Amino acid sequence: MKEIRKIAMIGNHLPRQCGIATFTTDLNNAIKQVYPESTCFVLPVNDRENGYDYPPEVRFELQEKKLDSYQRAADFLNLSNVDIVCLQHEYGIFGGPSGSYILHLLKELRMPVVTTLHTILRDPTPDQRKVLLQIAEYSDRLVSISRHGVDFLHEIYNVPKRKVDFIPHGIPDVPFMDPNFNKDRFCVEGKLVLMTFGLLSANKGIETVIEALPNIISRHPNTVYLIVGATHPSVLLHEGETYRMSLQRKAEELGVKGHVIFLNNFVALEQLNELISIADIYITPYLNEAQISSGTLAYTVGAGKAVLSTPYWYAQELLAGGRGVLFPFRNPGVLAAEVCRLLDNEAERHAIRKRAYLYGRDMIWPEVAKCYIKSFERAHTEHRFIKPSRFVVKSLQEKRGDLPALTLKHLRLLTDDTGILQHAIHTIPNYHEGYCTDDNARALIVSSLASELETDPEPARKLSARYLAFMHYAFNPENGRFRNFMNYQRQWLEEAGSDDSHGRAIWALGTVLGRTASLSWRSIAIKLFDQALPAAIECSSSRTWAFSLLGIHEYLRSFEGDRLAYQIRDQLAAQLFQAYRDNKTDEWLWFENILSYSNAVLPHAL
């Protein structure tokens, strides 16, 4: 994967509570572990305004119901030199009819796209079919977690099989354990443990197991049924705990309340693995066959559990070959008989466990990550032979203000092929003083703004090109700082310039990124901006913080989902406000104990 260094994943991410968030988090971590030379980051989709407390690998957030958020994310990915995008697709996590907003992002991308389809419907609605077909068109490779899905894509959606990779659902690599080993930790020592886990919703069919319990307990009175998982957040929002309460009432009505244990938590992976280990029999009693994947089933098969399941598509595939037992939908009688048969026949139960565990060795996350890397490589190779769609970065059209006529005559006079000279002698450039980054940053801000106001923006754009080129030359990648002073012979006089020049450079680059439509200019500016921004926190000058805050503010006009920029913005703002608190008195409401230069920038930034 020498040509694939930067990988972006679009989906959900923990701590959001859903299966896609868990999958994306685990896949991202697995790829980083197997391929440590890569840079992997995630673009999650927020279903609430204030998002989630994401870890650092989350780089840019999308807002589910805001179409422009998807378009900005596409701009961000294109300008960030991403080598591959890996999309985790589920209809319900994206905005628009049947999740169609994601198409606005995909159609703008210039790099290869590999899409994992977590739902492939046999009988889609017209909107669902249209969305999946367009996703297939915009993706270089498609990944199906099940072989049923590969067939559906070919037979129902006419997707060529050569475009589809079968990659199993990833699972943790856990040892093959005796179920009794950890039972004392969960107060079920000496019990036979039946288990179901996952986010609760009415389609899980848990009532079928509770209805089967009286017959099971009559034969095995030391049986308990452990139901692990919080109610699904979207269900909780609209219906509350209605489903869980109905299960509790049913258990009480059937006289098995003391045999049913609810663990109403979203369980972290380490504890989840321990809980799975204590199950003698794991049950997935889902009510509908139209389920192409199930993380819970994959986890338990890979952990070597004896599994009983209704015959939904994924279960038919995963439990074939004696790796589990199927029972009919909504049939507690057959379920009770099968549970009792397995509890009575320890040899058969352990044979099922062993077959399941051995089958799961190809599903552990490191092996799955290797499969994804191969899919990325195929996509990268195939993408070269596909003519990319035309990509246009959309500029923000500002309403023209009633301003007096602007002239750039003196600015042009002070600018040569290198940049703007520091000083003038009356109205001519003073070559003795040479150049500085400070003034070229100022000039870049002015020319960028002027290009928005002028009827003919070309003169201002020519000036901007000179100043941006100077900024690029001034940056010293060895220390992450901008050099400031250069003599007229184009010799740098220092390896790192002043804090103020660094802050003004960030302000200028943010202005280019927030207001300029040129793709090449934005590509240069975003690289410098990303490399230079962290150093602003280390600077001790309050004006550097203020200049940087203004640059971040401009940058977020185009990339409002950039989480790292928000974090640095908040830290700089806190530092600036603390300076105000440290220096103010009843008679002196100011950031310092003196008034100095560029005073207005301090309150302006806040």
Side-chain angles (χ1 to χ4, degrees), residues 103-160:
L103 302 175
H104 295 267
L105 188 158
L106 292 177
K107 70 180 179 181
E108 298 291 344
L109 296 181
R110 293 178 294 140
M111 71 291 293
V113 176
V114 175
T115 298
T116 303
L117 298 168
H118 291 267
T119 294
I120 305 171
L121 300 171
R122 187 170 63 183
D123 299 303
T125 66
D127 278 346
Q128 289 168 336
R129 181 182 181 87
K130 180 180 179 181
V131 167
L132 192 142
L133 287 175
Q134 288 194 261
I135 288 174
E137 179 183 348
Y138 293 138
S139 302
D140 296 86
R141 306 290 306 170
L142 297 174
V143 173
S144 174
I145 290 170
S146 75
R147 298 192 187 278
H148 275 83
V150 177
D151 294 335
F152 285 179
L153 286 171
H154 180 60
E155 296 165 4
I156 300 169
Y157 299 91
N158 298 316
V159 176

Side-chain angles (χ1 to χ4, degrees), residues 188-423:
V188 289
E189 192 171 16
K191 303 287 187 182
L192 294 170
V193 178
L194 314 180
M195 183 184 294
T196 298
F197 83 84
L199 295 172
L200 256 64
S201 59
N203 64 345
K204 299 297 184 181
I206 291 171
E207 61 275 10
T208 304
V209 186
I210 293 176
E211 290 167 2
L213 281 178
N215 288 337
I216 296 170
I217 292 167
S218 67
R219 187 174 182 87
H220 296 280
N222 62 333
T223 299
V224 294
Y225 179 36
L226 185 56
I227 303 167
V228 180
T231 297
H232 195 289
S234 63
V235 175
L236 192 62
L237 180 64
H238 297 101
E239 303 173 19
E241 291 286 8
T242 303
Y243 181 58
R244 187 185 299 274
M245 292 169 63
S246 72
L247 296 175
Q248 292 170 340
R249 284 195 301 271
K250 185 176 287 290
E252 188 169 2
E253 291 167 0
L254 294 174
V256 294
K257 179 181 178 181
H259 296 265
V260 180
I261 303 171
F262 289 90
L263 185 58
N264 184 9
N265 292 312
F266 186 81
V267 183
L269 181 60
E270 184 177 352
Q271 186 185 17
L272 178 60
N273 288 335
E274 291 179 350
L275 281 164
I276 291 173
S277 74
I278 72 174
D280 293 283
I281 295 176
Y282 184 79
I283 305 172
T284 55
Y286 302 160
L287 301 179
N288 192 325
E289 70 171 356
Q291 187 158 332
I292 209 74
S293 68
S294 168
T296 60
L297 185 61
Y299 275 35
T300 48
V301 166
K305 297 286 101 179
V307 178
L308 283 167
S309 177
T310 50
Y312 55 93
W313 296 328
Y314 190 59
Q316 293 177 34
E317 184 174 315
L318 207 59
L319 302 183
R323 296 185 291 270
V325 177
L326 301 176
F327 66 93
F329 294 106
R330 305 175 188 269
N331 196 319
V334 174
L335 172 59
E338 290 292 349
V339 169
C340 290
R341 183 175 66 82
L342 289 182
L343 292 178
D344 291 338
N345 192 335
E346 188 173 354
E348 182 181 354
R349 192 167 77 249
H350 288 307
I352 291 172
R353 292 186 60 214
K354 183 177 180 180
R355 285 191 289 268
Y357 186 80
L358 293 175
Y359 183 81
R361 294 313 83 206
D362 291 333
M363 299 168 60
I364 61 174
W365 275 115
E367 297 303 316
V368 168
K370 292 174 186 176
C371 293
Y372 270 92
I373 289 170
K374 290 179 181 177
S375 185
F376 294 165
E377 290 172 336
R378 283 192 288 267
H380 195 271
T381 301
E382 293 163 359
H383 192 78
R384 297 173 182 171
F385 303 103
I386 301 173
K387 184 179 180 181
S389 59
R390 183 171 178 267
F391 171 71
V392 179
V393 178
K394 302 170 183 64
S395 63
L396 296 178
Q397 299 299 322
E398 299 290 338
K399 184 179 180 180
R400 292 176 179 271
D402 296 324
L403 299 175
L406 185 71
T407 175
L408 301 177
K409 185 184 296 184
H410 189 62
L411 202 61
R412 290 198 297 268
L413 184 64
L414 285 178
T415 302
D416 64 12
D417 290 339
T418 299
I420 190 170
L421 277 296
Q422 277 198 78
H423 296 289

